[in-house]
Amino acid sequence: MTQASNSDFFALNTRSTPSRLHLQGDWTLDNYTVLGQKIERFRAQHANIGSLSADHIDAGGITALDTAGASRLVELLGSDEALNGLLATLPAERGALLQAVAATKTAAGTKPPAAKSSLATELLGRIGLSMERLWKQSGMLLGFMGLTLEALVRNSIHPSRWRMTSVAAQIEETGLNAVPIVALLTFMVGAVIAFLGATVLADFGATIYTVNLVAFSFLREFAVLLTAILMAGRTASAFTAQLGSMKANEEIDAIRMLGLNPIDVLVLPRILALLVSMPLLTFIGMISGILGGALVCAVALNITPTMFFSIFKEGIELRHFLLGMVKAPIFAYVIAIIGCLEGFKVSGSAQSVGEHTTSAVVQTIFIVILLDALAALFFMEMGW
């Protein structure tokens, strides 16, 4: 007896022993869904289909065969024995197609399932990856610092190599154009600190020491720290975006092809400009912050500007100003090299430019605050 329920594409003749499978019709992508449904029902009824050999499979009725149909044939036969039996009855080109599809499905089926990891394992893995990235980033940063210092020393021996036009342009961009935002921010922070100091010190009848609080905090810490954070967000990101865009457009490769050193042409002018701009902006931040505190003292505490600056002159030593200013070139160098290094690390896409720009800002802010904290501890231990 012949099963006819699936006679559109295949039929199983059960008169002979073992049964004989007849394949027919178009085994193509157009019939892919229908073939899948019929094969599912057929295999549920005939579990021994995989035991057929070459003598018991008739593929002469197949009128068309493509990759999708070959995939369904592999699914129908299910075993290597039945598949080899079918290959023996097919023309060479169809046999090669079926064999390639079968090999692909076998390779895909042998892939090990993804191992399920616990929450603790996942957490430790992420911590390990973060530490590895931190180690690599630290090594790259130290190496880049060495390159820039070597270039600075080499160009100091030959002053004619300085690109003063580029340095002047960068000073205007990083210094002069940043004066309004630095002055405004430090002025407002100085006013806020004066308000807070007056509120706390009023309970002790010591509002006069608000002058010392404002002057001491801005000369030693706030002016240079706020300026460095602004430069990290404004200048480091600009350096990364500029060099990253040049990297994406292969302009840096063109500079190398011309026999020029990108460190000398692109990095040194930016470092020198920030080394000049940062101390000047820090000084402006000190003045603006103190003026903000003086304004609050004059309005809210009845401390006149004359009295304010008289107390300032008598109670604040010059060393506080020097301790604040000495940190400015260090912060400037760190901001410049991180911004330039992240720009050189851009891979070429717009997404990479955005990622490294964000990374430059985060790194510079973190390192600036870390260095400032370490410097504050050092100065305190030294009694300065």
Side-chain angles (χ1 to χ4, degrees):
M1 179 180 179
T2 302
Q3 304 289 337
S5 59
N6 297 294
S7 59
D8 290 343
F9 300 102
F10 48 86
L12 184 65
N13 186 355
T14 57
R15 295 176 182 175
S16 59
T17 303
S19 302
R20 187 173 182 82
L21 181 65
H22 297 275
L23 304 175
Q24 56 197 19
D26 294 341
W27 289 69
T28 59
L29 180 61
D30 294 337
N31 300 318
Y32 186 81
T33 304
V34 177
L35 282 168
Q37 297 170 353
K38 292 181 177 294
I39 290 172
E40 184 177 355
R41 292 195 297 268
F42 183 78
R43 291 188 63 84
Q45 299 172 3
H46 306 282
N48 64 341
I49 184 67
S51 63
L52 297 176
S53 62
D55 297 334
H56 304 100
I57 299 177
D58 179 15
I62 297 180
T63 55
L65 180 67
D66 62 7
T67 305
S71 176
R72 287 304 191 194
L73 277 177
V74 175
E75 181 182 345
L76 171 65
L77 300 178
S79 70
D80 292 340
E81 182 181 357
L83 180 62
N84 292 332
L86 178 59
L87 289 173
T89 63
L90 288 175
E93 65 277 5
R94 290 185 177 180
L97 173 62
L98 183 62
Q99 194 168 15
V101 172
T104 302
K105 290 177 72 68
T106 302
T110 58
K111 291 182 179 179
K116 294 183 178 180
S117 57
S118 63
L119 180 60
T121 304
E122 185 71 19
L123 179 60
L124 291 175
R126 289 180 178 270
I127 293 174
L129 289 175
S130 300
M131 294 302 296
E132 183 181 6
R133 285 196 296 267
L134 178 61
W135 178 260
K136 291 181 179 180
Q137 176 63 25
S138 301
M140 293 179 66
L141 183 59
L142 291 175
F144 194 70
M145 288 176 63
L147 286 176
T148 56
L149 291 175
E150 182 270 336
L152 282 171
V153 173
R154 174 165 39 82
N155 283 273
S156 298
I157 301 175
H158 304 282
S160 60
R161 296 181 180 179
W162 292 112
R163 300 177 179 275
M164 299 310 299
T165 302
S166 298
V167 173
Q170 291 297 331
I171 289 176
E172 179 183 7
E173 177 63 28
T174 61
L176 295 179
N177 294 345
V179 169
I181 184 64
V182 171
L184 179 61
L185 179 65
T186 52
F187 181 86
M188 292 189 295
V189 173
V192 170
I193 291 176
F195 270 121
L196 293 175
T199 302
V200 175
L201 295 174
D203 296 334
F204 304 95
T207 54
I208 193 67
Y209 289 103
T210 303
V211 177
N212 301 73
L213 174 64
V214 172
F216 185 84
S217 60
F218 266 88
L219 289 178
R220 290 181 68 104
E221 297 294 337
F222 283 148
V224 65
L225 184 60
L226 291 174
T227 302
I229 291 175
L230 281 174
M231 290 297 100
R234 183 181 184 277
T235 305
S237 61
F239 288 175
T240 303
Q242 292 165 2
L243 297 183
S245 298
M246 296 180 68
K247 180 75 176 297
N249 295 330
E250 300 181 353
E251 296 177 38
I252 295 179
D253 294 334
I255 290 175
R256 291 192 177 98
M257 290 297 295
L258 292 173
L260 301 175
N261 189 343
I263 301 295
D264 296 342
V265 177
L266 301 176
V267 178
L268 289 188
R270 288 170 167 80
I271 293 177
L272 293 174
L274 207 55
L275 287 173
V276 173
S277 301
M278 188 72 181
L280 297 177
L281 292 173
T282 300
F283 182 72
I284 293 172
M286 291 177 179
I287 295 176
S288 299
I290 292 172
L291 289 178
L295 178 63
V296 171
C297 290
V299 173
L301 304 179
N302 294 322
I303 299 177
T304 63
T306 302
M307 183 184 300
F308 181 96
F309 288 106
S310 176
I311 297 172
F312 177 89
K313 180 179 178 181
E314 295 176 0
I316 305 299
E317 301 178 7
L318 178 63
R319 62 185 176 90
H320 301 305
F321 168 77
L322 297 177
L323 291 177
M325 291 297 296
V326 76
K327 292 185 285 188
I330 300 174
F331 291 169
Y333 181 69
V334 169
I335 292 169
I337 62 171
I338 292 178
C340 294
L341 174 60
E342 291 298 316
F344 280 115
K345 289 166 61 178
V346 170
S347 61
S349 64
Q351 180 180 359
S352 180
V353 173
E355 290 175 352
H356 286 288
T357 300
T358 302
S359 177
V361 174
V362 173
Q363 288 184 54
T364 48
I365 291 177
F366 173 78
I367 293 180
V368 160
I369 294 176
L370 177 63
L371 291 176
D372 186 73
L374 294 176
L377 292 174
F378 176 75
F379 294 155
M380 182 179 66
E381 291 295 327
M382 296 298 294
W384 293 347

